[in-house]
Amino acid sequence: MSIQKQKFGNWLRNSISVKMITVGFLILILLIPLAFIKDLIRERESRQYEVVQEINSKWGGSVIINGPILKIPYHEYHEETIFNEETNTYLKAKKAVRRDAYFFPKTLDIQSKATTQSLERGIYESVVFNSESNIKGEFVAPDLSEKEVADEDILWKKATVLFQVSNLKGIRNTVKVKLGGQDYVLNPKFDNNFMNTLESGFIENLDGIQKNSMDFQSNITINGSNTLQFIPIGKETLVFMQSNWHSPSFNGNYLPDTEGKEITDQGFTAKWKVLETNRRFGQVFFDQLPDLSEFAFGTEFLVPVDDYQKTERTSKYGFMIIGLTLLVFLLIQISSKIAIHPFQYLMIGLALVLFYTLLISISEHKNYLFAYLVSGISVVSLITVYSRSILKNPKFTLLILGSMLGLYSFIFVIIQLEDYALLVGSIGLFVILSTIMFTSRKIDWSGLQDN
């Protein structure tokens, strides 16, 4: 009986299958703390998003500007039937109902300059902007023929000019419109819509627009964050935008013209030209002004991939790093007959997991590159020194050092790449697999199994 126990104990110590199962089980166990670290990264990223949103909400959110729009009220008559009790008959009468017509300008020329800056709260940072937009163009004679409105039913003296702005909180100047040589101050009107309304007082001598077009000019200075967009309400809309931001993302319904677009480290310039035929709405609306924000275009002040995103992407390769590193130790153990205890495998695996905790904690105070270098050097050095005491062979120690440096360098390159990350990653994994297959081909698996 004791002989059988001794044989079974020898088989447990020398069996390659047992060693591989043990190492595989340890890798699965190490996925638990790795999952906790991934949750920690997402939690910290979520916290960053909350702080950034709070900063942006106090400074000013996304900006969409729609205007100026000419609002002209008119009377529309509806026939009503009234019962006369004295004569016991029905009488027909016309009742005047006030309606509003909204007219867009013939030309709309916007010159916008956005200056960005960073706002910090603790270890978190947000990019915001201050935009100065000079808006000019002309209105032509309004056409109410669609509604068959008589000239005497148009309330010229009740006409106003309005703007719709998504972010009234960020406006930093008194918004005025110069129309027909007269300045009109725009004041907010209460509404619960996404696009808030600024409206002027009654326009003087607007009936003269029937003979001559009227030029307008306005300036809006506004604080915002994330996006700056305009709605192309002009029959011909021209927008020129410049900024000191180096990573713009031109978004919305229209892209800028190729000619005139320039992006450098010092900022960008872009031009748009949108015609009435390029959009799905006309130049006049009756009764109600619809929400046209879906037609907005402009620039998103895109923040390049931040350190939390890079750290999260790095953690996705944690299983590969842990698995390949422990596999190298396993191949050394099998080929050299050096005894490595499961506890030692566990310590090596925990050191590899600790890399990600160091990475996220250091990157919150420094940049990702510095955090990756410090964390990588620390973990590689720790495991190299530890393996020296385990393997007691300089060649194997150098092999561990070289393989880990190669792995961490490979992961770092993949993280920096965007368009070619999948291609480089696939090629790298093919090379790694080929190397493992080549180095393990001389191992006498059956011979070791019998020992």
Side-chain angles (χ1 to χ4, degrees):
M1 190 72 175
S2 59
I3 296 176
Q4 290 181 347
K5 289 183 178 181
Q6 184 176 5
K7 288 183 178 181
F8 181 73
N10 291 334
W11 178 78
L12 284 178
R13 285 191 298 271
N14 299 323
S15 173
I16 294 179
S17 299
V18 172
K19 294 175 183 177
M20 294 182 66
I21 293 173
T22 302
V23 173
F25 178 74
L26 288 174
I27 292 175
L28 293 178
I29 292 298
L30 290 170
L31 292 180
I32 297 175
L34 187 62
F36 281 119
I37 290 178
K38 289 182 180 180
D39 288 338
L40 175 63
I41 295 173
R42 286 190 286 268
E43 179 185 340
R44 301 297 291 178
E45 186 176 15
S46 176
R47 173 58 180 165
Q48 181 200 38
Y49 176 79
E50 292 175 359
V51 173
V52 169
Q53 289 300 108
E54 184 179 354
I55 294 174
N56 292 348
S57 65
K58 293 182 178 180
W59 175 266
S62 298
V63 175
I64 301 177
I65 298 177
N66 181 22
I69 300 168
L70 193 59
K71 176 183 174 183
I72 302 179
Y74 64 94
H75 280 148
E76 187 176 70
Y77 294 93
H78 295 275
E79 192 175 78
E80 291 185 345
T81 302
I82 304 174
F83 179 72
N84 191 327
E85 295 181 354
E86 295 179 358
T87 61
N88 199 28
T89 59
Y90 289 92
L91 302 176
K92 291 185 177 181
K94 287 187 177 181
K95 180 181 180 182
V97 179
R98 177 168 170 167
R99 304 292 189 188
D100 293 316
Y102 299 90
F103 296 92
F104 296 157
K106 178 182 178 182
T107 60
L108 180 63
D109 188 350
I110 302 174
Q111 305 283 323
S112 182
K113 181 179 181 181
T115 304
T116 61
Q117 58 179 299
S118 298
L119 296 181
E120 296 181 358
R121 175 172 295 179
I123 61 176
Y124 302 107
E125 181 181 18
S126 175
V127 176
V128 298
F129 63 83
N130 174 269
S131 169
E132 297 180 6
S133 298
N134 182 273
I135 304 171
K136 59 183 180 180
E138 65 173 345
F139 287 107
V140 294
D143 183 10
L144 282 78
S145 60
E146 181 180 338
K147 290 288 186 177
E148 299 181 352
V149 180
D151 291 342
E152 60 270 18
D153 292 326
I154 301 176
L155 307 179
W156 294 107
K157 294 183 179 181
K158 301 294 184 180
T160 59
V161 174
L162 58 88
F163 271 88
Q164 288 187 324
V165 184
S166 64
N167 181 17
L168 292 182
K169 184 177 182 179
I171 295 178
R172 311 311 299 166
N173 69 318
T174 300
V175 182
K176 299 179 181 179
V177 173
K178 188 174 185 179
L179 182 64
Q182 183 75 26
D183 286 334
Y184 299 92
V185 177
L186 276 71
N187 297 308
K189 293 183 62 180
F190 176 78
D191 57 49
N192 292 319
N193 297 323
F194 168 70
M195 297 288 285
N196 300 285
T197 302
L198 295 172
E199 189 169 2
S200 71
F202 298 140
I203 301 173
E204 300 177 2
N205 303 320
L206 183 62
D207 50 352
I209 197 175
Q210 298 178 82
K211 298 179 181 180
N212 301 304
S213 62
M214 297 186 71
D215 295 335
F216 63 82
Q217 183 175 355
S218 181
N219 292 280
I220 297 180
T221 302
I222 188 169
N223 290 340
S225 59
N226 196 28
T227 58
L228 173 61
Q229 295 181 317
F230 302 94
I231 297 179
I233 60 173
K235 198 175 185 69
E236 179 182 274
T237 302
L238 301 174
V239 174
F240 175 79
M241 187 182 299
Q242 62 177 330
S243 174
N244 62 337
W245 188 242
H246 52 80
S247 299
S249 175
F250 303 114
N251 60 2
N253 221 36
Y254 308 93
L255 292 176
D257 299 334
T258 303
E259 183 180 352
K261 183 177 71 174
E262 183 179 359
I263 303 174
T264 65
D265 293 337
Q266 286 72 42
F268 73 88
T269 58
K271 297 179 180 179
W272 289 262
K273 182 178 181 179
V274 182
L275 304 177
E276 181 185 6
T277 53
N278 302 139
R279 63 188 200 211
R280 301 196 307 273
F281 60 90
Q283 288 296 107
V284 58
F285 285 94
F286 293 95
D287 300 334
Q288 186 176 3
L289 188 62
D291 182 7
L292 300 175
S293 57
E294 65 174 293
F295 300 99
F297 65 90
T299 302
E300 178 182 359
F301 294 84
L302 186 67
V303 179
V305 178
D306 61 28
D307 293 341
Y308 287 112
Q309 292 175 308
K310 289 183 177 180
T311 304
E312 185 176 7
R313 288 175 58 192
T314 305
S315 67
K316 294 179 180 178
Y317 295 95
F319 176 78
M320 186 183 72
I321 289 182
I322 294 172
L324 290 176
T325 303
L326 295 187
L327 179 60
V328 172
F329 277 94
L330 178 62
L331 291 176
I332 292 175
Q333 180 182 9
I334 293 173
S335 60
S336 65
K337 307 291 183 65
I338 296 176
I340 302 179
H341 195 273
F343 179 80
Q344 294 172 319
Y345 277 109
L346 181 62
M347 291 296 100
I348 295 169
L350 290 176
L352 295 170
V353 172
L354 185 61
F355 164 79
Y356 300 99
T357 305
L358 291 172
L359 181 61
I360 184 175
S361 59
I362 298 175
S363 64
E364 286 186 335
H365 301 276
K366 297 288 185 179
N367 58 58
Y368 175 82
L369 174 59
F370 179 84
Y372 195 94
L373 288 175
V374 172
S375 305
I377 291 174
S378 300
V379 171
V380 170
S381 300
L382 175 62
I383 294 179
T384 301
V385 173
Y386 189 63
S387 64
R388 179 70 178 90
S389 63
I390 297 174
L391 304 177
K392 303 184 185 301
N393 188 316
K395 292 183 179 180
F396 291 144
T397 303
L398 290 176
L399 176 61
I400 295 297
L401 175 62
S403 62
M404 293 193 65
L405 288 176
L407 274 176
Y408 281 107
S409 300
F410 172 62
I411 298 301
F412 182 78
V413 171
I414 292 179
I415 296 302
Q416 303 308 309
L417 297 175
E418 294 184 4
D419 297 335
Y420 298 97
L422 180 60
L423 176 62
V424 174
S426 301
I427 294 174
L429 289 176
F430 178 81
V431 172
I432 292 172
L433 179 61
S434 301
T435 303
I436 294 173
M437 293 174 66
F438 180 80
T439 55
S440 62
R441 75 190 193 283
K442 294 183 178 181
I443 296 178
D444 186 3
W445 302 93
S446 59
L448 287 176
Q449 287 278 17
D450 295 334
N451 289 338

